[in-house]
Amino acid sequence: MESRASTNNVTELIITGLFQDPEVQRVCFVLFLPVYLATILGNGLIIVTVSVSKSLRSPMYFFLGYLSLVEICYSSTVVPKFITDLLVKVKTISLKGCLAQIFFFHFFAVAEILLLVVMAYDRYVAICKPLHYMNIMSRQLCHMLVAGSWLGGFIHSIIQVLNTIQLPFCGPNVIDHYFCDLRPLFKLACKDTFVEGIVVLANSGLISLFSLTILVSSYVIILFSLRNRSAEGRRKALSTCASHITVVILFFGPAIFIYMRPSSTFTGDKLVAVFYTVITPMLNPIIYTLRNAEVKVAMRKLWGKKENSGMGQ
């Protein structure tokens, strides 16, 4: 243990960031700050609307509210530090801070993946077993499924961090990324990390594979069951599913590109990471509200009431 402690003399890490040019970094700051604020406002608006509106009481909106909450938390583990780092010359983070960022980033990412699976199951029950929908998707089951998503994220993250925390860091301390993630951190360890890399790949890979299999299966079954529906019924069901499938593709596409292939130092990897850490969390509320008449009507009612009460005073 003592030799391990003596070699673990790195307490602070330097982050290279997205680009080196100060001018480009300032442009990025001007671009990404409004995107992050839009993420918080957009997802916050959905949470408030779903919580307050009596017309949005179905399990689908219950899950949508939690998805928006996860999006805010997920984005907030990386983006605020990333944006403030764009204005400083030397970007640093403590080793403990780095491990904390890895833990929360993976925690919320996997909670989101599992929530997307839960939402696919909800659509499957709603479309394929409509008469039994409210009995199957009871309030108790909905709460259990959400709790299960959080628990799954927690277990996944604990494994990732326990796998990383015992690595010795004794020399190089420059992370070639704009936030702390497992692969860039592994490159700094003073030992071969092949086994740890396999654990990460198995942990992330199994969850992704399991989730994608359920998601694809759910939508294949839904599409087959829609063949016997009326044109109007088909249109409504497909409209609801289209938002969900879009979000799944936006989330899984970049994540698979990053985690399910050999690591590289390409700037392309960082740009793909920007997409799923900064852009996707902002797009989700837009995708769900633009394609959903009930949410739009509820928002108009909610904010219309507030404006009227404000004018009344």
Side-chain angles (χ1 to χ4, degrees):
M1 275 307 279
E2 271 184 42
S3 62
R4 168 69 54 86
S6 63
T7 56
N8 207 15
N9 55 18
V10 172
T11 56
E12 192 172 62
L13 302 166
I14 295 166
I15 299 167
T16 58
L18 190 58
F19 299 108
Q20 305 305 311
D21 188 327
E23 283 299 312
V24 176
Q25 290 191 58
R26 278 195 281 274
V27 170
C28 287
F29 178 83
V30 172
L31 287 174
F32 293 141
L33 181 61
V35 170
Y36 177 63
L37 294 175
T39 301
I40 303 298
L41 287 171
N43 285 293
L45 185 59
I46 287 181
I47 294 167
V48 172
T49 306
V50 168
S51 304
V52 173
S53 301
K54 289 185 172 66
S55 60
L56 305 180
R57 283 284 174 262
S58 74
M60 180 172 85
Y61 298 113
F62 174 76
F63 296 133
L64 179 58
Y66 273 102
L67 183 71
S68 290
L69 176 63
V70 171
E71 289 287 14
I72 289 173
C73 298
Y74 167 73
S75 185
S76 297
T77 59
V78 170
V79 182
K81 171 140 181 63
F82 166 51
I83 290 171
T84 51
D85 277 350
L86 289 167
L87 299 179
V88 297
K89 194 165 185 177
V90 181
K91 309 161 199 347
T92 60
I93 188 169
S94 69
L95 184 59
K96 285 178 182 174
C98 183
L99 289 168
Q101 192 176 55
I102 287 170
F103 173 81
F104 286 109
F105 178 70
H106 282 265
F107 172 42
F108 293 122
V110 170
E112 177 165 350
I113 288 171
L114 296 177
L115 258 180
L116 289 171
V117 171
V118 166
M119 290 172 84
Y121 174 70
D122 171 68
R123 289 302 81 215
Y124 160 75
V125 176
I127 292 165
C128 300
K129 301 178 188 292
L131 299 176
H132 305 285
Y133 179 65
M134 290 317 289
N135 285 334
I136 295 171
M137 299 305 289
S138 64
R139 202 45 136 177
Q140 186 183 7
L141 179 67
C142 290
H143 281 107
M144 282 171 66
L145 289 170
V146 168
S149 301
W150 291 104
L151 182 64
F154 181 77
I155 291 167
H156 165 82
S157 270
I158 282 287
I159 293 168
Q160 302 291 56
V161 169
L162 289 178
N163 183 39
T164 310
I165 209 164
Q166 42 77 37
L167 290 173
F169 297 98
C170 53
N173 70 332
V174 178
I175 283 199
D176 186 20
H177 213 314
Y178 66 87
F179 70 98
C180 277
D181 205 359
L182 292 160
R183 277 187 172 169
L185 187 61
F186 279 6
K187 287 178 184 171
L188 306 185
C190 303
K191 68 174 279 243
D192 181 59
T193 56
F194 177 77
V195 174
E196 286 78 8
I198 293 294
V199 171
V200 166
L201 194 64
N203 193 1
S204 301
L206 284 173
I207 287 172
S208 300
L209 204 64
F210 161 78
S211 305
L212 258 181
T213 305
I214 293 177
L215 286 164
V216 171
S217 307
S218 296
Y219 289 115
V220 167
I221 294 165
I222 286 168
L223 291 171
F224 268 102
S225 73
L226 288 177
R227 289 179 306 168
N228 307 322
R229 296 285 177 92
S230 65
E232 178 60 21
R234 249 201 312 260
R235 192 193 62 76
K236 273 191 82 174
L238 282 172
S239 175
T240 310
C241 290
S243 318
H244 195 72
I245 291 167
T246 307
V247 169
V248 167
I249 292 166
L250 284 173
F251 191 85
F252 273 92
I256 288 168
F257 177 82
I258 294 287
Y259 289 101
M260 303 300 281
R261 57 190 261 286
S263 62
S264 68
T265 55
F266 299 141
T267 306
D269 278 20
K270 293 184 194 177
L271 293 174
V272 171
V274 166
F275 187 78
Y276 68 76
T277 55
V278 184
I279 310 294
T280 305
M282 178 197 70
L283 294 177
N284 286 5
I286 298 168
I287 292 162
Y288 277 110
T289 50
L290 284 181
R291 297 194 63 92
N292 193 306
E294 284 181 312
V295 174
K296 281 193 277 193
V297 168
M299 280 184 175
R300 279 195 210 108
K301 274 186 188 169
L302 177 66
W303 300 107
K305 265 186 206 167
K306 292 210 166 173
E307 278 173 25
N308 291 341
S309 65
M311 286 167 73
Q313 286 170 3

